[in-house]
Amino acid sequence: MIFFVEMSAAKNEKCKGKHFTWSKPMSHMLLEILVEEALKGNKPSSTFKAEFFVKVATEISQKFNVQCEPKHMNNHLKTVKKEWGIIT
């Protein structure tokens, strides 16, 4: 299942200072992984386990040559939920 989200993220995939910016491909990868894992039953509650965020942050860092951390993913998910009006 592919999940496409139109994001207002910066155009590059690099960090600027302490601010981590999400490109559309990075955001798509994150959301695709989250959907796949949820469909597999790996989301036991309203959120994913911390270990999962570490794993995905590592994958994004390697694929896009950036320094993605679990906190970046958590913040990005909050942004996505706000943009889509999702209440959890």
Side-chain angles (χ1 to χ4, degrees), residues 5-6 77-88:
V5 178
E6 189 67 29
L77 286 176
K78 289 179 187 177
T79 301
V80 169
K81 288 178 182 179
K82 190 181 295 183
E83 287 179 359
W84 281 80
I86 298 171
I87 300 171
T88 57

Side-chain angles (χ1 to χ4, degrees), residues 13-14 59-67:
E13 300 170 0
K14 302 292 180 189
E59 289 180 29
I60 289 173
S61 295
Q62 291 173 348
K63 179 167 181 161
F64 295 99
N65 196 29
V66 294
Q67 187 62 40

Side-chain angles (χ1 to χ4, degrees), residues 2-3 5 7 15 17 19 23 25 35 37 39 42 45 47-49 54 56 58 64 67 71 73 77 80 85:
I2 298 177
F3 213 90
V5 178
M7 300 299 303
C15 292
H19 181 75
S23 68
V35 168
E37 292 300 315
L39 291 173
N42 294 334
S45 64
T47 188
F48 290 91
K49 293 182 179 181
V54 171
V56 177
T58 301
F64 295 99
Q67 187 62 40
K71 66 181 179 181
M73 292 175 43
L77 286 176
V80 169

Side-chain angles (χ1 to χ4, degrees), residues 3-56:
F3 213 90
F4 291 100
V5 178
E6 189 67 29
M7 300 299 303
S8 59
K11 293 181 181 178
N12 65 24
E13 300 170 0
K14 302 292 180 189
C15 292
K16 290 184 178 182
K18 292 184 179 183
H19 181 75
F20 186 84
T21 56
W22 287 83
S23 68
K24 287 181 185 180
M26 290 167 60
S27 183
H28 289 171
M29 180 179 174
L30 169 63
L31 295 173
E32 287 175 359
I33 292 170
L34 293 176
V35 168
E36 288 173 12
E37 292 300 315
L39 291 173
K40 290 179 188 175
N42 294 334
K43 184 181 175 202
S45 64
S46 63
T47 188
F48 290 91
K49 293 182 179 181
E51 302 86 36
F52 176 76
F53 286 108
V54 171
K55 178 185 172 205
V56 177

